[in-house]
PDB file of all heavy atoms in Angstrom:
ATOM      1  N   LEU A   1     125.381 163.018  98.324  1.00 98.00           N
ATOM      2  CA  LEU A   1     123.970 163.051  98.708  1.00 98.00           C
ATOM      3  C   LEU A   1     123.313 161.688  98.467  1.00 98.00           C
ATOM      4  O   LEU A   1     123.463 161.081  97.400  1.00 98.00           O
ATOM      5  CB  LEU A   1     123.242 164.128  97.908  1.00 98.00           C
ATOM      6  CG  LEU A   1     121.932 164.633  98.514  1.00 98.00           C
ATOM      7  CD1 LEU A   1     122.192 165.331  99.838  1.00 98.00           C
ATOM      8  CD2 LEU A   1     121.233 165.586  97.551  1.00 98.00           C
ATOM      9  N   ARG A   2     122.574 161.242  99.471  1.00 98.00           N
ATOM     10  CA  ARG A   2     121.858 159.967  99.391  1.00 98.00           C
ATOM     11  C   ARG A   2     120.446 160.150  99.930  1.00 98.00           C
ATOM     12  O   ARG A   2     120.237 160.815 100.934  1.00 98.00           O
ATOM     13  CB  ARG A   2     122.576 158.875 100.200  1.00 98.00           C
ATOM     14  CG  ARG A   2     123.982 158.586  99.716  1.00 98.00           C
ATOM     15  CD  ARG A   2     124.670 157.495 100.546  1.00 98.00           C
ATOM     16  NE  ARG A   2     126.039 157.317 100.098  1.00 98.00           N
ATOM     17  CZ  ARG A   2     126.415 156.567  99.074  1.00 98.00           C
ATOM     18  NH1 ARG A   2     125.489 155.885  98.405  1.00 98.00           N
ATOM     19  NH2 ARG A   2     127.675 156.478  98.718  1.00 98.00           N
ATOM     20  N   VAL A   3     119.505 159.518  99.229  1.00 98.00           N
ATOM     21  CA  VAL A   3     118.125 159.449  99.702  1.00 98.00           C
ATOM     22  C   VAL A   3     117.657 158.015  99.511  1.00 98.00           C
ATOM     23  O   VAL A   3     117.645 157.503  98.379  1.00 98.00           O
ATOM     24  CB  VAL A   3     117.186 160.403  98.935  1.00 98.00           C
ATOM     25  CG1 VAL A   3     115.756 160.262  99.457  1.00 98.00           C
ATOM     26  CG2 VAL A   3     117.650 161.849  99.058  1.00 98.00           C
ATOM     27  N   ALA A   4     117.305 157.365 100.592  1.00 96.00           N
ATOM     28  CA  ALA A   4     116.807 155.990 100.535  1.00 96.00           C
ATOM     29  C   ALA A   4     115.420 155.941 101.150  1.00 96.00           C
ATOM     30  O   ALA A   4     115.161 156.570 102.176  1.00 96.00           O
ATOM     31  CB  ALA A   4     117.760 155.053 101.275  1.00 96.00           C
ATOM     32  N   PHE A   5     114.550 155.196 100.498  1.00 94.00           N
ATOM     33  CA  PHE A   5     113.191 155.016 101.000  1.00 94.00           C
ATOM     34  C   PHE A   5     113.033 153.589 101.513  1.00 94.00           C
ATOM     35  O   PHE A   5     113.582 152.651 100.926  1.00 94.00           O
ATOM     36  CB  PHE A   5     112.169 155.291  99.899  1.00 94.00           C
ATOM     37  CG  PHE A   5     112.194 156.702  99.392  1.00 94.00           C
ATOM     38  CD1 PHE A   5     112.596 157.002  98.093  1.00 94.00           C
ATOM     39  CD2 PHE A   5     111.828 157.755 100.216  1.00 94.00           C
ATOM     40  CE1 PHE A   5     112.615 158.300  97.620  1.00 94.00           C
ATOM     41  CE2 PHE A   5     111.845 159.072  99.761  1.00 94.00           C
ATOM     42  CZ  PHE A   5     112.236 159.342  98.460  1.00 94.00           C
ATOM     43  N   PRO A   6     112.288 153.404 102.605  1.00 92.00           N
ATOM     44  CA  PRO A   6     112.132 152.054 103.164  1.00 92.00           C
ATOM     45  C   PRO A   6     111.582 151.072 102.140  1.00 92.00           C
ATOM     46  O   PRO A   6     110.740 151.426 101.298  1.00 92.00           O
ATOM     47  CB  PRO A   6     111.136 152.270 104.313  1.00 92.00           C
ATOM     48  CG  PRO A   6     111.244 153.715 104.654  1.00 92.00           C
ATOM     49  CD  PRO A   6     111.559 154.421 103.370  1.00 92.00           C
ATOM     50  N   GLY A   7     112.097 149.850 102.188  1.00 86.00           N
ATOM     51  CA  GLY A   7     111.640 148.829 101.260  1.00 86.00           C
ATOM     52  C   GLY A   7     110.236 148.347 101.595  1.00 86.00           C
ATOM     53  O   GLY A   7     109.730 148.530 102.710  1.00 86.00           O
ATOM     54  N   ARG A   8     109.605 147.749 100.625  1.00 83.00           N
ATOM     55  CA  ARG A   8     108.263 147.215 100.829  1.00 83.00           C
ATOM     56  C   ARG A   8     108.333 145.905 101.606  1.00 83.00           C
ATOM     57  O   ARG A   8     109.149 145.036 101.300  1.00 83.00           O
ATOM     58  CB  ARG A   8     107.587 146.979  99.475  1.00 83.00           C
ATOM     59  CG  ARG A   8     107.381 148.253  98.664  1.00 83.00           C
ATOM     60  CD  ARG A   8     106.772 147.932  97.318  1.00 83.00           C
ATOM     61  NE  ARG A   8     106.590 149.136  96.509  1.00 83.00           N
ATOM     62  CZ  ARG A   8     106.164 149.132  95.246  1.00 83.00           C
ATOM     63  NH1 ARG A   8     105.876 147.975  94.660  1.00 83.00           N
ATOM     64  NH2 ARG A   8     106.027 150.258  94.577  1.00 83.00           N
ATOM     65  N   ARG A   9     107.469 145.787 102.591  1.00 80.00           N
ATOM     66  CA  ARG A   9     107.333 144.561 103.365  1.00 80.00           C
ATOM     67  C   ARG A   9     108.678 144.069 103.900  1.00 80.00           C
ATOM     68  O   ARG A   9     109.010 142.892 103.832  1.00 80.00           O
ATOM     69  CB  ARG A   9     106.684 143.470 102.515  1.00 80.00           C
ATOM     70  CG  ARG A   9     105.284 143.827 102.025  1.00 80.00           C
ATOM     71  CD  ARG A   9     104.698 142.754 101.155  1.00 80.00           C
ATOM     72  NE  ARG A   9     103.376 143.140 100.651  1.00 80.00           N
ATOM     73  CZ  ARG A   9     102.673 142.396  99.794  1.00 80.00           C
ATOM     74  NH1 ARG A   9     103.155 141.256  99.354  1.00 80.00           N
ATOM     75  NH2 ARG A   9     101.478 142.822  99.393  1.00 80.00           N
ATOM     76  N   GLY A  10     109.459 145.025 104.390  1.00 79.00           N
ATOM     77  CA  GLY A  10     110.738 144.668 104.987  1.00 79.00           C
ATOM     78  C   GLY A  10     111.845 144.383 104.006  1.00 79.00           C
ATOM     79  O   GLY A  10     112.938 143.926 104.391  1.00 79.00           O
ATOM     80  N   GLY A  11     111.621 144.654 102.719  1.00 86.00           N
ATOM     81  CA  GLY A  11     112.650 144.424 101.703  1.00 86.00           C
ATOM     82  C   GLY A  11     113.726 145.491 101.748  1.00 86.00           C
ATOM     83  O   GLY A  11     113.686 146.424 102.562  1.00 86.00           O
ATOM     84  N   PRO A  12     114.719 145.399 100.840  1.00 91.00           N
ATOM     85  CA  PRO A  12     115.810 146.367 100.838  1.00 91.00           C
ATOM     86  C   PRO A  12     115.324 147.770 100.508  1.00 91.00           C
ATOM     87  O   PRO A  12     114.342 147.958  99.788  1.00 91.00           O
ATOM     88  CB  PRO A  12     116.756 145.832  99.754  1.00 91.00           C
ATOM     89  CG  PRO A  12     115.920 144.955  98.890  1.00 91.00           C
ATOM     90  CD  PRO A  12     114.872 144.373  99.784  1.00 91.00           C
ATOM     91  N   ALA A  13     116.016 148.761 101.057  1.00 94.00           N
ATOM     92  CA  ALA A  13     115.657 150.164 100.812  1.00 94.00           C
ATOM     93  C   ALA A  13     115.894 150.528  99.349  1.00 94.00           C
ATOM     94  O   ALA A  13     116.813 150.028  98.699  1.00 94.00           O
ATOM     95  CB  ALA A  13     116.474 151.078 101.716  1.00 94.00           C
ATOM     96  N   ALA A  14     115.040 151.392  98.844  1.00 94.00           N
ATOM     97  CA  ALA A  14     115.205 151.907  97.480  1.00 94.00           C
ATOM     98  C   ALA A  14     116.175 153.075  97.507  1.00 94.00           C
ATOM     99  O   ALA A  14     115.908 154.092  98.153  1.00 94.00           O
ATOM    100  CB  ALA A  14     113.854 152.340  96.922  1.00 94.00           C
ATOM    101  N   ARG A  15     117.292 152.952  96.809  1.00 95.00           N
ATOM    102  CA  ARG A  15     118.334 153.987  96.786  1.00 95.00           C
ATOM    103  C   ARG A  15     118.030 154.976  95.656  1.00 95.00           C
ATOM    104  O   ARG A  15     118.620 154.929  94.584  1.00 95.00           O
ATOM    105  CB  ARG A  15     119.697 153.331  96.617  1.00 95.00           C
ATOM    106  CG  ARG A  15     120.111 152.542  97.848  1.00 95.00           C
ATOM    107  CD  ARG A  15     120.937 151.308  97.549  1.00 95.00           C
ATOM    108  NE  ARG A  15     122.162 151.596  96.812  1.00 95.00           N
ATOM    109  CZ  ARG A  15     123.022 150.645  96.405  1.00 95.00           C
ATOM    110  NH1 ARG A  15     122.776 149.374  96.671  1.00 95.00           N
ATOM    111  NH2 ARG A  15     124.114 150.971  95.750  1.00 95.00           N
ATOM    112  N   ALA A  16     117.088 155.879  95.923  1.00 96.00           N
ATOM    113  CA  ALA A  16     116.628 156.797  94.885  1.00 96.00           C
ATOM    114  C   ALA A  16     117.722 157.767  94.465  1.00 96.00           C
ATOM    115  O   ALA A  16     117.844 158.129  93.285  1.00 96.00           O
ATOM    116  CB  ALA A  16     115.410 157.567  95.370  1.00 96.00           C
ATOM    117  N   VAL A  17     118.495 158.262  95.424  1.00 97.00           N
ATOM    118  CA  VAL A  17     119.682 159.092  95.159  1.00 97.00           C
ATOM    119  C   VAL A  17     120.822 158.402  95.882  1.00 97.00           C
ATOM    120  O   VAL A  17     120.754 158.191  97.092  1.00 97.00           O
ATOM    121  CB  VAL A  17     119.483 160.538  95.663  1.00 97.00           C
ATOM    122  CG1 VAL A  17     120.740 161.371  95.414  1.00 97.00           C
ATOM    123  CG2 VAL A  17     118.273 161.181  94.999  1.00 97.00           C
ATOM    124  N   ASP A  18     121.866 158.049  95.124  1.00 96.00           N
ATOM    125  CA  ASP A  18     122.828 157.086  95.646  1.00 96.00           C
ATOM    126  C   ASP A  18     124.268 157.603  95.559  1.00 96.00           C
ATOM    127  O   ASP A  18     125.117 157.010  94.895  1.00 96.00           O
ATOM    128  CB  ASP A  18     122.684 155.773  94.879  1.00 96.00           C
ATOM    129  CG  ASP A  18     123.412 154.615  95.548  1.00 96.00           C
ATOM    130  OD1 ASP A  18     123.680 154.697  96.760  1.00 96.00           O
ATOM    131  OD2 ASP A  18     123.716 153.638  94.842  1.00 96.00           O
ATOM    132  N   GLY A  19     124.516 158.738  96.228  1.00 96.00           N
ATOM    133  CA  GLY A  19     125.868 159.290  96.230  1.00 96.00           C
ATOM    134  C   GLY A  19     126.058 160.256  95.080  1.00 96.00           C
ATOM    135  O   GLY A  19     126.637 159.910  94.051  1.00 96.00           O
ATOM    136  N   VAL A  20     125.550 161.469  95.227  1.00 98.00           N
ATOM    137  CA  VAL A  20     125.589 162.469  94.153  1.00 98.00           C
ATOM    138  C   VAL A  20     126.364 163.690  94.620  1.00 98.00           C
ATOM    139  O   VAL A  20     126.116 164.216  95.711  1.00 98.00           O
ATOM    140  CB  VAL A  20     124.165 162.880  93.722  1.00 98.00           C
ATOM    141  CG1 VAL A  20     124.200 164.157  92.877  1.00 98.00           C
ATOM    142  CG2 VAL A  20     123.498 161.757  92.945  1.00 98.00           C
ATOM    143  N   ASP A  21     127.303 164.129  93.796  1.00 98.00           N
ATOM    144  CA  ASP A  21     127.966 165.420  93.944  1.00 98.00           C
ATOM    145  C   ASP A  21     127.462 166.319  92.817  1.00 98.00           C
ATOM    146  O   ASP A  21     127.475 165.912  91.651  1.00 98.00           O
ATOM    147  CB  ASP A  21     129.481 165.299  93.834  1.00 98.00           C
ATOM    148  CG  ASP A  21     130.110 164.554  95.007  1.00 98.00           C
ATOM    149  OD1 ASP A  21     129.385 164.207  95.950  1.00 98.00           O
ATOM    150  OD2 ASP A  21     131.340 164.326  94.961  1.00 98.00           O
ATOM    151  N   LEU A  22     127.030 167.519  93.151  1.00 98.00           N
ATOM    152  CA  LEU A  22     126.508 168.428  92.135  1.00 98.00           C
ATOM    153  C   LEU A  22     126.678 169.859  92.600  1.00 98.00           C
ATOM    154  O   LEU A  22     126.388 170.169  93.758  1.00 98.00           O
ATOM    155  CB  LEU A  22     125.026 168.138  91.869  1.00 98.00           C
ATOM    156  CG  LEU A  22     124.349 168.964  90.767  1.00 98.00           C
ATOM    157  CD1 LEU A  22     124.934 168.633  89.404  1.00 98.00           C
ATOM    158  CD2 LEU A  22     122.835 168.733  90.770  1.00 98.00           C
ATOM    159  N   ASP A  23     127.151 170.724  91.701  1.00 97.00           N
ATOM    160  CA  ASP A  23     127.273 172.160  91.977  1.00 97.00           C
ATOM    161  C   ASP A  23     126.431 172.943  90.987  1.00 97.00           C
ATOM    162  O   ASP A  23     126.318 172.572  89.812  1.00 97.00           O
ATOM    163  CB  ASP A  23     128.729 172.636  91.833  1.00 97.00           C
ATOM    164  CG  ASP A  23     129.634 172.099  92.929  1.00 97.00           C
ATOM    165  OD1 ASP A  23     129.110 171.645  93.963  1.00 97.00           O
ATOM    166  OD2 ASP A  23     130.859 172.122  92.732  1.00 97.00           O
ATOM    167  N   ILE A  24     125.871 174.050  91.460  1.00 98.00           N
ATOM    168  CA  ILE A  24     125.198 175.022  90.597  1.00 98.00           C
ATOM    169  C   ILE A  24     125.775 176.382  90.931  1.00 98.00           C
ATOM    170  O   ILE A  24     125.711 176.833  92.080  1.00 98.00           O
ATOM    171  CB  ILE A  24     123.675 175.024  90.813  1.00 98.00           C
ATOM    172  CG1 ILE A  24     123.098 173.626  90.566  1.00 98.00           C
ATOM    173  CG2 ILE A  24     123.010 176.046  89.892  1.00 98.00           C
ATOM    174  CD1 ILE A  24     121.628 173.510  90.925  1.00 98.00           C
ATOM    175  N   GLY A  25     126.368 177.035  89.949  1.00 97.00           N
ATOM    176  CA  GLY A  25     126.999 178.320  90.168  1.00 97.00           C
ATOM    177  C   GLY A  25     126.008 179.470  90.100  1.00 97.00           C
ATOM    178  O   GLY A  25     124.880 179.326  89.624  1.00 97.00           O
ATOM    179  N   ALA A  26     126.423 180.624  90.586  1.00 96.00           N
ATOM    180  CA  ALA A  26     125.592 181.818  90.498  1.00 96.00           C
ATOM    181  C   ALA A  26     125.356 182.164  89.032  1.00 96.00           C
ATOM    182  O   ALA A  26     126.289 182.208  88.234  1.00 96.00           O
ATOM    183  CB  ALA A  26     126.275 182.986  91.211  1.00 96.00           C
TER     184      ALA A  26
END
């Protein structure tokens, strides 16, 4: 899972979530 937000003033994107594997069982 990845979530990136656009960078400020054309800068690099903020990688808020950067490749996450996660499980939640019943």
Side-chain angles (χ1 to χ4, degrees):
L1 201 64
R2 299 180 184 276
V3 179
F5 297 113
R8 297 177 181 175
R9 299 178 182 176
R15 291 147 58 182
V17 178
D18 193 21
V20 165
D21 292 355
L22 183 66
D23 291 343
I24 303 173

